[in-house]
Amino acid sequence: ICKDGGIFKKILVEGEKWENPKDLDEVFVKYEACLEDGTLISKSDGVEFTVGDGYFCPALAKAVKTMKKGEKVLLTVKPQYGFGEDGRPATGGECAVPPNATLHITLELVSWKSVSDITKDKKVLKKIVKEGEGYERPNDGTVVQVKLIGKLPDGTIFIKKGYDEEPFEFKIDEEQVIDGLDKAVKTMKKGENALITIQPEYAFGSSESHQELAVVPANSTVYYEVEMVSFVKEKESWEMDTPQKIEAAGKKKEEGNALFKAGKFERASKRYEKAVSFIEYDSSFNDEEKKQAKLLKVNCNLNNAASKLKLKDYKQAAKLCTKVLELDSGNVKALYRRAQAYIQLVDLDLAEADIKKALEIDPDNRDVKLEYRVLKEKIKEYNKRDAQFYGNIFAKMNKLAGKQEAAPMAIDSKA
């Protein structure tokens, strides 16, 4: 298993499917561990542990990551993946393990609960208790119906919805529930049951929150039990005819504009991206539809560039402006916003080229003129910094040259 001969695995019973557990997953195993002479040192008819945390000895975690559900194996484990040079004293009715002992472990992976890091920073974790059906999951704008229970770390229930009445219904990415729950539910299939752990940054934050059944204290990690009853996805572009695509793109653009005005730049950006996705491929459009689609693309990419500037994603802002200029080479707003992005990326020559072109097209544009002043200040600042930097280098070089000239003279005087 470890490519160094430290663990050998012999499959006794083949497993099902193809998936293997990952570090965050919780596995349920049975095992029996013996010394080479057959002495039993540990046995369990069922124990659950998180793969990344390991259990009993390092070999178990390493082996289980190579196993399928239902697989049963015989492991030959060298000391470095067992108990090493020190061995292990007898504990809790289990025999001692001598120093440098090789172990034989029969291991069965009975089942596991898949745990996923929803936000990629381990602050929203989803553990699947019951697998859902099919492969479809909600997307932004999907109306979902769920049953949910929200708990505090001490087990206090602060919210319970969808059990005594109709399932609780909300729309993804509309801020109708806390951010962590919104993101986690988006990964669930119909019929799936999951436990979701949400840290304060994606929950109720640093303020106390009065919920239906209890108060959530400030900076609380919260836990949700969620069952995905059903969901109705928004139509995808391939399910629409051309007029519907143009209408959907226009609707998403307006949603993006409203979010931008409210200062919700990340969500606005997503709406503009979605709008463009509806009309990106327009080869089947007639001439009038192509005109409408082009105008929408220009407006959405421009507005998205403004969102990216607010989010300080300057590379993406520049790319979006370039897309606009490919459709409309004289678009002053695109040149202006790309220049803003280039200034932040310290591509000052490119910024100057865009500003000069914008001023050729619209010599009286106040915003562009103001940005030109900003650019000139930046150029002065960087020229001054460069002069200081190279001045310091030359001073050091001169000092070093002076020392080298002085060295032979010292030798001559001694002679």
Side-chain angles (χ1 to χ4, degrees), residues 202-257:
Y202 294 95
F204 299 97
S206 55
S207 304
E208 185 178 271
S209 178
H210 291 259
Q211 294 295 301
E212 280 182 7
L213 304 175
V215 174
V216 178
N219 299 310
S220 291
T221 295
V222 292
Y223 304 86
Y224 284 87
E225 297 170 14
V226 182
E227 180 187 339
M228 175 66 81
V229 178
S230 66
F231 56 84
V232 181
K233 287 177 81 168
E234 286 192 324
K235 271 188 174 182
E236 298 289 355
S237 63
W238 54 268
E239 298 173 288
M240 300 177 183
D241 59 25
T242 303
Q244 286 175 326
K245 287 179 186 179
I246 291 169
E247 186 187 343
K251 190 179 167 190
K252 288 293 172 193
K253 186 196 83 168
E254 293 309 319
E255 287 176 14
N257 291 350

Side-chain angles (χ1 to χ4, degrees), residues 33-90:
C34 302
L35 299 176
E36 283 187 293
D37 64 4
T39 304
L40 181 69
I41 52 167
S42 183
K43 180 179 178 178
S44 174
D45 287 328
V47 64
E48 191 171 60
F49 66 91
T50 300
V51 176
D53 295 343
Y55 187 79
F56 181 60
C57 71
L60 251 61
K62 289 192 178 293
V64 89
K65 283 165 79 170
T66 72
M67 295 172 69
K68 299 169 190 168
K69 184 182 173 185
E71 188 173 317
K72 189 174 181 181
V73 300
L74 175 62
L75 304 174
T76 302
V77 181
K78 295 294 167 67
Q80 66 267 35
Y81 296 106
F83 294 94
E85 295 176 0
D86 300 327
R88 186 197 73 170

Side-chain angles (χ1 to χ4, degrees), residues 107-163:
L107 176 66
E108 181 183 353
L109 176 56
V110 180
S111 63
W112 82 81
K113 296 183 183 109
S114 176
V115 178
S116 46
D117 180 1
I118 302 295
T119 48
K120 309 304 176 197
D121 56 8
K122 297 189 177 174
K123 290 182 177 176
V124 179
L125 298 177
K126 185 191 78 166
K127 177 164 72 175
I128 296 175
V129 178
K130 180 190 159 209
E131 286 282 349
E133 51 194 71
Y135 61 90
E136 282 214 325
R137 294 177 175 87
N139 53 12
D140 289 341
T142 296
V143 175
V144 298
Q145 293 187 318
V146 301
K147 292 180 181 178
L148 65 83
I149 299 172
K151 295 180 182 178
L152 298 175
D154 65 2
T156 302
I157 294 173
F158 62 83
I159 192 168
K160 184 174 182 180
K161 284 183 174 289
Y163 285 89

Side-chain angles (χ1 to χ4, degrees), residues 2 15 19 246 369 411:
C2 297
E19 303 104 320
I246 291 169
K369 283 180 176 177
I411 293 164

